[in-house]
Amino acid sequence: MKQVLVAVGIILRHNQTFVTLRSDDKHQGGKWEFPGGKVEAGETLLTALRRELNEEVGITVNQTKPLMTIEHDYGDKCVRLNVHVVSNFNGQAHGAEGQPSEWVSIDELDNYDFPAANVEIISAIKTKYS
């Protein structure tokens, strides 16, 4: 099974992170996620992250810091998530594609239904940023 390379942005503001709700028609639909998306052919990870965050949540990334890389097999799809923390950006994060979105306290992330691959991300964020 082919692995999908994904750039993920943990957008931080004070003690909160920005999350969006996946459309029901997408893989892992109906679950909350940290914004980001597939790295396209010819793109670097950071180029993809900047493009995806601009398209999905309307921000311009100024600086990122690597957090972790996770590989997860969902059975129907394998993903490699390259996760970066984004705390320096321009614009107001919002669901730029019409998707529900919100700022969530890091301590409240466990109350949201995320895809299984995000469990490690949430743990890392809580350890480093709460």
Side-chain angles (χ1 to χ4, degrees):
M1 185 180 315
K2 184 179 175 186
Q3 188 177 66
V4 179
L5 181 59
V6 180
V8 177
I10 306 302
I11 305 167
L12 295 180
R13 179 183 74 183
H14 308 295
N15 196 32
Q16 297 179 317
T17 187
F18 192 75
V19 297
T20 58
L21 188 63
R22 289 186 65 78
S23 172
D24 286 335
D25 64 340
K26 291 186 178 177
H27 185 262
Q28 298 292 304
K31 295 187 179 207
W32 290 92
E33 69 176 348
F34 300 103
K38 184 177 165 186
V39 178
E40 301 292 342
E43 276 188 319
T44 67
L45 175 66
L46 291 179
T47 299
L49 182 63
R50 287 184 173 103
R51 175 185 53 76
E52 287 285 350
L53 295 184
N54 185 265
E55 291 172 0
E56 281 188 32
V57 299
I59 65 169
T60 301
V61 175
N62 296 324
Q63 188 175 9
T64 71
K65 180 180 175 182
L67 179 65
M68 63 196 317
T69 299
I70 297 169
E71 294 184 8
H72 188 83
D73 184 349
Y74 283 104
D76 61 337
K77 183 181 279 191
C78 291
V79 295
R80 180 182 175 114
L81 307 177
N82 286 281
V83 185
H84 279 243
V85 173
V86 178
S87 56
N88 185 336
F89 59 92
N90 290 333
Q92 295 294 320
H94 65 284
E97 297 174 331
Q99 74 277 36
S101 59
E102 56 188 80
W103 286 99
V104 176
S105 168
I106 291 169
D107 294 332
E108 297 293 319
L109 287 171
D110 290 334
N111 298 330
Y112 289 73
D113 186 20
F114 282 86
N118 287 252
V119 171
E120 288 181 62
I121 298 171
I122 292 169
S123 178
I125 294 169
K126 289 173 77 173
T127 299
K128 286 189 163 199
Y129 298 101
S130 68

